[in-house]
Amino acid sequence: MSFQGLKDYFSRHFLGRVKVYSYLWTFEVPQTVSLRRVVETHPVRTSIRVLSAALLPLEGLRCHNKEFRFPAHMVRVYGEKVRSYAPREIVVRGFSPLRVVALQDLKRAMLLPLEKENRLAWLKERPQKTGELILAWFGPIIEEALVKLVLNKQRGTLLIWYNPHSRHFLARSLYLYRRLGPRQKPGWQWVDWR
Amino acid sequence: MLSERRIGRKVSQMAGNNSLGYVIVEGMEGQFRGASLVVDFRGIPMDFRYTDPIRPSKLERILYGSALDVYLREELILESLLSAVETKPLVWVCREGDLLQPLKTIGKGKAIFLAPSNSAPLEAAGEVEATGEAGIYMLQADSLSAPLRASLPSGSRPEEMQELSRILVEAAETMELLEPFGRIQKALTSLGEE
C-alpha cells in the first residue's frame, strides 16, 4: 500500500472522510453538415468576340457613323446626319427568274381515247348463257355518246372516243364473249351497268 | 365548226358543271413539266392545259438550292396551270401526295389524292374505310374494281371525306376515276415528241 493509500485508510476510519473525485465529462458537439448544395455555374460558351463585319457594297457603307449603321428614324448621331439604308436587289447578269406559261390544247385532249380496263376479274355475277365464254368486261360506257371503239389486244383494254356534243349520260357495260364450238368468232354484247 | 373553247363550254353546260380536275406535275432527269385535264363525269375533256418543259440551268440550281424542286412544282407549274384553267372542277385530283396541300391552297376548292390499291373490295360502293396510316382512307368508288387509296389535305374534317366520297361515287357511275391520268400522260408524251 502506498503512502497515499495509507493516508486515505486512516482518514476514512478515524476522521470519516471519503475522498471525492471530480470528473469533468466533456461532450463533443456533433458536427453538422448542411444538406444544401452549392451550385457552381460555369459558362459553357466560349467568350464571344465581335469582329468588325466586312459589308458588301450594297449601299450599306454610305449610311454610317463610325462604322455603325443606324435606323432611318435616328436622323442625328453625334450631330451627323445618318442617311437611310435600304438593301437593293442584286442583279446577276445573264440570269432571269424562272417562268412558266400554261398553254391550252383541248383539241389534243379530245383526240385522245379513253382507255377502259377489263373488269371481268371483279365481276361477282356473270350472265349465264349456255355455250358462251365471257372474255372481257368493260364499263361504264355511255353507249349513246360513242363515236368509235377499238380493242387494244396487246393490253386487253378498250379504247373509246366519245362525241363531245352528246347529251347522254346513261352508262352501260359491254362484254366480249366467244361461243364455244369450232370456227366461232368473238362477239360483243351490251348490258346494263348495274 | 365549233371552236375548242365553245365545245368545252358546251360540254360544261350539259354536264351541269359536274367535273373533276386532274393534275400531273413531273420532274425527271432535271426537267420539269405539268398538265391539267378537267373532264365531265363521263370523262369527256372540258379543259386541257400544259406547260412547256423547264430545265433549270446550273446557275439556277445553285441559286434556288434545295427549294428549287418545290418552287418549280408548286409555285410555278401548279399555280400557272390552275390559274389558267377556265372550267373550275368540283374536285381537284392528284396522284402525288406532295401536290395535295398546294392543290387545295392554290385551287381554292376541294382536293383529293387518289391512287390504285391491291386491296380486296369493300362491301359496297361509297364505302370509306380508314387505314392504319394517318389520313389515308380506302374508298370503294364502284362495285367493279379494287378500292382506291384516298387522302385529304391536312386539317380536313372526316365529313369532308364523306362529301368527296359522294361526288366520286357519282362520277364513278359513268367513268373510271383514275383513267384521265393515263390520258394526261399520253398527251405529255405526244407533246414531248413534237
Side-chain angles (χ1 to χ4, degrees), chain A residues 131 178-184:
Chain A
R178 185 173 203 141
R179 286 207 173 82
L180 299 173
R183 293 178 188 174
Q184 291 289 339

Side-chain angles (χ1 to χ4, degrees), chain A residues 13 38 52 86 185:
Chain A
H13 280 276
V38 178
S52 62
K185 288 183 179 177

Side-chain angles (χ1 to χ4, degrees), chain B residues 144-166:
Chain B
L144 286 182
S145 62
L148 299 169
R149 279 170 66 82
S151 174
L152 296 183
S154 58
S156 302
R157 290 168 288 115
E159 307 90 73
E160 288 180 55
M161 187 64 220
Q162 293 298 334
E163 191 187 344
L164 280 169
S165 155
R166 278 194 293 275

